[in-house]
Amino acid sequence: MESKVLSIAPAPSPTPSAVPASSDETTDWNLQSPDAKSPAPPTTSSTPLSAQEIRRWRPAAQRNLRNQWSKLASLRTQWLSLSSTARSYATYVVNSYLSQRYMDAMELGILKEIPDIRKKACRKLFKQQETNRSKLLSSYKDMVCTLRICGFTS
């Protein structure tokens, strides 16, 4: 995956020949969101951008980049929290399942004298498994929602 590095420090104004003219190259210049204050420079392939238009657009693009970066940092923190929670729920589901599956082989000591203790324990483990499964699904949905906010899914 190729990444592009954008300079945030003021750069010398480009000459008209350095400004991209084709429509494929001009998409690199359109980093500004639709809700930003100043408009993005025109991207028609027939007229190259003037140095003055680029200088006027650059501060808005830099501000937009800073705003998007803080938003991504916040969403990353949210993602890490949600994934940790989901991992815990997944662990609970697996542990409940395994405990239920191997209940017959467990040594219960003095508790084995209680009537139907294994059936009651299996029922309780099954309920825990179902509860944690629904919480895991909910965490997964929250993670997908976070990805949609980032714009990684459609």
Side-chain angles (χ1 to χ4, degrees), residues 5-61:
V5 177
L6 296 176
S7 173
I8 294 182
S13 59
T15 61
S17 62
V19 176
S22 73
S23 62
D24 290 340
E25 293 171 323
T26 55
T27 57
D28 292 341
W29 292 90
N30 287 328
L31 296 175
Q32 190 171 5
S33 67
D35 59 343
K37 300 270 191 250
S38 63
T43 58
T44 58
S45 60
S46 60
T47 58
L49 301 174
S50 71
Q52 183 181 12
E53 287 174 331
I54 292 172
R55 278 194 305 271
R56 191 174 31 214
W57 179 71
R58 186 180 292 134

Side-chain angles (χ1 to χ4, degrees), residues 103-123:
M103 180 59 72
D104 292 335
M106 283 187 190
E107 279 295 321
L108 298 178
I110 194 76
L111 294 176
K112 68 181 177 184
E113 295 176 7
I114 300 175
D116 296 329
I117 187 70
R118 292 185 194 276
K119 286 182 185 177
K120 289 177 184 176
C122 284
R123 210 170 315 135

